[in-house]
Amino acid sequence: MVIAVDFDGTIVEHKYPKIGEELPFATETLKMLIRDQHKLILWSVREGELLEEAVEWCRKRGVEFYAVNRDYPEENGEKSNSSFSRKLKADIWIDDRNIGGLPDWGEIYHMIKSGNPFSRYSNSNHHYQDNNVKQHKKKWWQF
């Protein structure tokens, strides 16, 4: 699976442009995902020297990304190249700006390992439409 991972606020505390403290178990979880044969892409707003600092910070902790801000390592990231797009083609994005916020890294690992990254949202507290049951239109204030 291709997994895009944000840096600031996701792997480390959000202290941009500085590098914050590591969030608990972030790099250990990323290393486990790499060992499980997932391709990790660092997906960050950082560019230039700030991006290199983040990549090196991860590398020193044993996390080597498949690619950085691109779909594959050989992709030409120059803005003049019309075939390059910062829109990644990943299966999953891990980002602190997710709806519902960032789960803890243990939960992230278990959701990916189980093959159901949406398991956090599929508990009994949520009701999904069954196509065989006629649904009544609800007002926006009804849950």
Side-chain angles (χ1 to χ4, degrees), residues 59-124:
R59 187 176 290 127
K60 285 181 179 177
R61 287 154 181 81
V63 177
E64 290 280 344
F65 292 97
Y66 168 72
V68 177
N69 282 349
R70 58 192 65 195
D71 289 309
Y72 50 91
E74 301 82 17
E75 185 175 32
N76 183 355
E78 295 178 19
K79 291 178 174 51
S80 63
N81 180 353
S82 62
S83 67
F84 176 75
S85 170
R86 287 272 317 250
K87 177 96 172 169
L88 297 179
K89 296 161 198 75
D91 300 304
I92 294 175
W93 286 260
I94 301 173
D95 191 339
D96 61 313
R97 304 290 174 124
N98 291 329
I99 292 176
L102 182 71
D104 68 55
W105 278 96
E107 187 176 354
I108 290 170
Y109 181 77
H110 289 291
M111 288 188 304
I112 294 170
K113 182 79 172 172
S114 73
N116 184 9
F118 305 105
S119 61
R120 181 178 194 209
Y121 304 104
S122 61
N123 63 32
S124 61

Side-chain angles (χ1 to χ4, degrees), residues 11 14 18 20 23 27 32 36-37 39 42 47 56 59 64-65 80-81 90 99 117 129 143:
I11 297 174
H14 204 298
K18 295 178 182 177
L23 292 179
T27 56
M32 289 170 38
D36 291 349
Q37 305 299 307
K39 292 181 179 179
L42 182 63
E47 294 180 318
E56 185 58 27
R59 187 176 290 127
E64 290 280 344
F65 292 97
S80 63
N81 180 353
I99 292 176
Q129 183 174 347
F143 297 98

